[in-house]
Structures are given as C-alpha cells and as structure tokens.
Amino acid sequence: MTVDTKELIYILDNTPSEQNIMLVGKHGIGKSRILEDYYSSKGQKVVTLFLGQMSDPGDLIGLPKIDEKTGKTDFMLPYWFPVDNKPVVLFLDELNRARPEVLQTIMDLTLNRKLAGKSLPEGSRIISAVNNGTEYQLTDLDPALVSRFNIYEFVPSVEDWLTWAEKEGLDPRIISFISENPEYLDEAESSGSEGDLEKTPDRRAWERVSKIIKNFTELTEKEKPIVGGITGARTASIFFRFINENKIPSAKKILCGDFKDVSGELKKLSAAEFTLLNKSLFHFTESLGKDGTDSALIMENLKKYFDFLGAAGLKELQSHFASLCSAEVYPVTLNLITTKAPSLYDEIMNMVLDV
C-alpha cells in the first residue's frame, strides 16, 4: 500500500500502539524526521536504533552480567531502554540491513514487546523502516517477522516536501527550483559516469545545500562544486542555470515586507514565472507560524499581489491563483483568506463562478 505524508499521519493517528508499522522507501525521503516531528508534538519520546550498525544482539539487548542474588545471567539495560515507565516509540531504522542474529532478537520484541525478558512500558510503539531496491545491500527478512508489521510504501509527494521546506525556512531558490523541476527532488536519472559513488539528489541533500547557500546572496561558479558534491554535478549545473536565469522574488519577501518594494521586480516576470510564484506564495502561507510571521500582514500583501495581477491584465494568472485556493491542498491558507482577507475570498469566488 503506497501512502504519502498526509495518509501516513492518518495511519499513525488510527493504528493501535500494539500493532507494528513498517515503512518501505528510499533513503533520504524523511521517514525518521516525520515520525520524530509527529510524536514529539504529542509529547512522546522517539528512540531511533540503527540496526544496520549493530554488530551483535548485545548492542540491542545490553551486555550480560551475573545476578549476585540468584547466580543467574541477567542483562544490563541498554542506554535507550525507558526506566521511567513512560511509553516510547521505538523506531527500528535499517531493519533489512541488520545482521541475521540481530533480527532474531527483534522477533521477540515485535511480538511480545520484550527484550531479554524485560518489557517495554505499556503503550509503547514499534515502527521500522526498510529500504527497497537493487541498489542497496540488504538482508532478507524472515516471513514470520514481516507478518508482524502493517506494511506501507512511503512515497511523500513533492507538495508535502515543498510545504515542509517553506515551514523550515529552506532557501527560497531551492523551493522555486523544485517547484518547477520536481524530478530533481529525489534521485534524477543517473549518467553512470562516476560509478558506484555517483551523487544524486535527495531530500536530505537539498536541506544540506540550503544551509550552505543561505550565506550567499548571489551564487557563482565558485559555489557550484560545493553544491555538486551534495547533489551531483549534473543536477548542480541545472540548478545554477535555473537560479541565474530566474529572478523570482521569494514568497517571504513579497508577503512579509512592503509590497511596493517588490512591485518593480514583479513587472519583469514571465507568465511561467508568475505561475511558479503563485504556488510558492501558497506554500509559504500554508506553513505560517514557524517564525512568528504576522498573518494579517501576509493576507494584506496577498490581496495586493492578487490585485497587482488584475491591474497588469494578467487575468489568466489570477485564475491560476484562484484555482490553488483548495481546502484539500491548502487548508490553512484557505482558512486565513476567509477569516483575514474576506474581500480577497469574494474576488476568488466570483472568478471561480465566472469560469
């Protein structure tokens, strides 16, 4: 069963804690981050164990010792084991990279919530993640172990990532690039020129790129090798060509400042660039609250932007803007428009009815 981020959240909301979940997907698509963000918001601790890095079961269950009272072998609790009796979310990452002897230990954990005879606190959850594909060095999983999980292929959409990127404040040049070139969010087609070490882009890579290029107002050829080492040379070249040919003001600049300061820049944009900008504005508005931005000012500037399109005779772009006003895709934005910019909402509805 293939699910995106919204569907995964719904699954997490409605799956009992005693049922185990397995997420199948490529590396770098945000499996662990989504789980940590989701459960942290509910006040639950997420313990991530990288099973592929464990050399033997002792790394998971703890080291043996002699109980002086009974004379029997016991196991010291591993560093991660909860001692406060509060439920945890145990995230078993790289499950199908684990050694067979480690996987045998997982069998009892997934069935009985026990490790070496010690039980996890009541209400604890077990979620695992596996990579799937011929490009990975993987361990075959026992059918008996697989049967203990509800299995979902996690394929987060580009829209999911763009909304997250706006919320996290990633560099707007990256957001604009991925909005127009979604095929470069995850692995682009490999040219094979660098053999097994060829770099291709993924979601983690773009986050790393953002942390570097935010320090550069303008990107030159000097910075291209830095980005190329993260996304691959081919993708870096395409990215640099895009940002040097497209001078689209950021959504934050348009919505969080004085609209007069950007009106001159807007007059220079092409229809294709306005289409991209419309989406960027909705992505940004959907992620309000991350940096304490003033939603009233944002709605005021959003109305000015919409009116700017009309005054410039760009009715088709106004229609495109109106088509994005969807409760399914942008519920936060639609709610803000209806409550804080009712006149904009009326104009949008009139345009939709005219169509």
Side-chain angles (χ1 to χ4, degrees):
M1 180 65 187
T2 301
V3 299
D4 61 18
T5 301
K6 291 180 181 178
E7 290 169 327
L8 174 59
I9 296 301
Y10 189 78
I11 289 168
L12 297 177
D13 281 337
N14 292 281
T15 300
S17 61
E18 63 270 16
Q19 295 187 21
N20 307 317
I21 293 174
M22 179 185 293
L23 302 180
V24 182
K26 294 181 178 180
H27 64 278
I29 59 175
K31 298 185 290 292
S32 58
R33 180 185 290 275
I34 288 173
L35 292 175
E36 288 174 3
D37 289 348
Y38 173 83
Y39 285 110
S40 294
S41 69
K42 295 181 175 296
Q44 290 184 264
K45 182 180 180 181
V46 178
V47 176
T48 301
L49 301 177
F50 296 97
L51 301 185
Q53 299 176 12
M54 295 183 175
S55 58
D56 61 59
D59 293 336
L60 182 63
I61 65 177
L63 298 176
K65 66 174 182 177
I66 300 296
D67 189 316
E68 296 180 356
K69 294 182 179 180
T70 65
K72 297 181 179 180
T73 300
D74 195 3
F75 288 86
M76 294 185 289
L77 290 175
Y79 73 94
W80 59 266
F81 200 92
V83 294
D84 55 6
N85 207 34
K86 293 182 180 179
V88 297
V89 179
L90 197 56
F91 180 46
L92 307 178
D93 205 359
E94 303 178 340
L95 181 68
N96 58 343
R97 290 175 182 255
R99 294 173 178 268
E101 54 269 30
V102 174
L103 289 176
Q104 290 301 316
T105 305
I106 297 297
M107 295 284 281
D108 190 32
L109 178 64
T110 54
L111 182 62
N112 300 313
R113 294 294 196 277
K114 289 183 177 181
L115 273 178
K118 298 179 177 64
S119 298
L120 291 175
E122 187 72 23
S124 294
R125 291 178 175 272
I126 296 177
I127 301 176
S128 71
V130 301
N131 297 131
N132 189 25
T134 57
E135 66 269 34
Y136 302 107
Q137 297 179 355
L138 305 175
T139 304
D140 291 335
L141 297 179
D142 190 309
L145 176 59
V146 173
S147 70
R148 296 173 186 180
F149 288 91
N150 303 343
I151 301 177
Y152 305 97
E153 182 178 3
F154 181 49
V155 185
S157 68
V158 176
E159 293 292 333
D160 289 337
W161 186 85
L162 289 171
T163 299
W164 171 84
E166 289 281 8
K167 182 178 180 181
E168 293 296 316
L170 265 64
D171 191 282
R173 292 168 291 190
I174 292 176
I175 295 172
S176 295
F177 174 70
I178 297 301
S179 293
E180 191 161 324
N181 302 276
E183 66 272 21
Y184 290 102
L185 176 57
D186 297 303
E187 291 188 11
E189 184 177 353
S190 171
S191 64
S193 60
E194 298 173 33
D196 293 338
L197 293 179
E198 182 176 5
K199 288 290 293 183
T200 52
D202 59 39
R203 299 169 192 231
R204 282 196 299 241
W206 287 118
E207 186 177 1
R208 295 201 299 272
V209 170
S210 177
K211 291 178 180 179
I212 292 174
I213 69 172
K214 68 180 182 181
N215 299 315
F216 298 92
T217 303
E218 298 290 335
L219 293 177
T220 68
E221 289 298 310
K222 290 183 178 180
E223 291 77 50
K224 186 183 292 186
I226 303 176
V227 176
I230 303 173
T231 66
R234 178 173 174 268
T235 300
S237 294
I238 295 170
F239 172 62
F240 271 67
R241 187 186 315 130
F242 173 86
I243 61 175
N244 287 324
E245 292 176 355
N246 295 272
K247 302 296 182 181
I248 305 174
S250 70
K252 186 172 184 178
K253 184 177 181 180
I254 292 172
L255 297 178
C256 297
D258 189 336
F259 189 80
K260 294 179 181 178
D261 294 340
V262 295
S263 57
E265 295 179 57
L266 294 176
K267 293 176 181 178
K268 301 176 183 178
L269 300 183
S270 66
E273 289 169 336
F274 269 116
T275 300
L276 180 62
L277 181 54
N278 282 349
K279 293 180 180 180
S280 179
L281 294 173
F282 272 78
H283 287 311
F284 179 82
T285 309
E286 191 69 14
S287 61
L288 277 176
K290 175 66 179 179
D291 54 3
T293 47
D294 185 350
S295 58
L297 174 62
I298 286 175
M299 288 298 102
E300 179 183 342
N301 282 332
L302 194 65
K303 173 68 164 62
K304 289 179 179 179
Y305 173 80
F306 186 82
D307 292 342
F308 171 88
L309 294 178
L314 303 174
K315 296 295 184 183
E316 290 185 2
L317 291 166
Q318 276 191 315
S319 296
H320 175 260
F321 182 101
S323 70
L324 296 173
C325 208
S326 163
E328 181 177 351
V329 182
Y330 299 110
V332 173
T333 302
L334 180 58
N335 179 64
L336 285 170
I337 290 175
T338 56
T339 57
K340 295 184 177 294
S343 61
L344 173 58
Y345 180 76
D346 290 340
E347 288 186 59
I348 290 173
M349 289 298 100
N350 289 335
M351 181 164 286
V352 171
L353 292 173
D354 288 341
V355 174

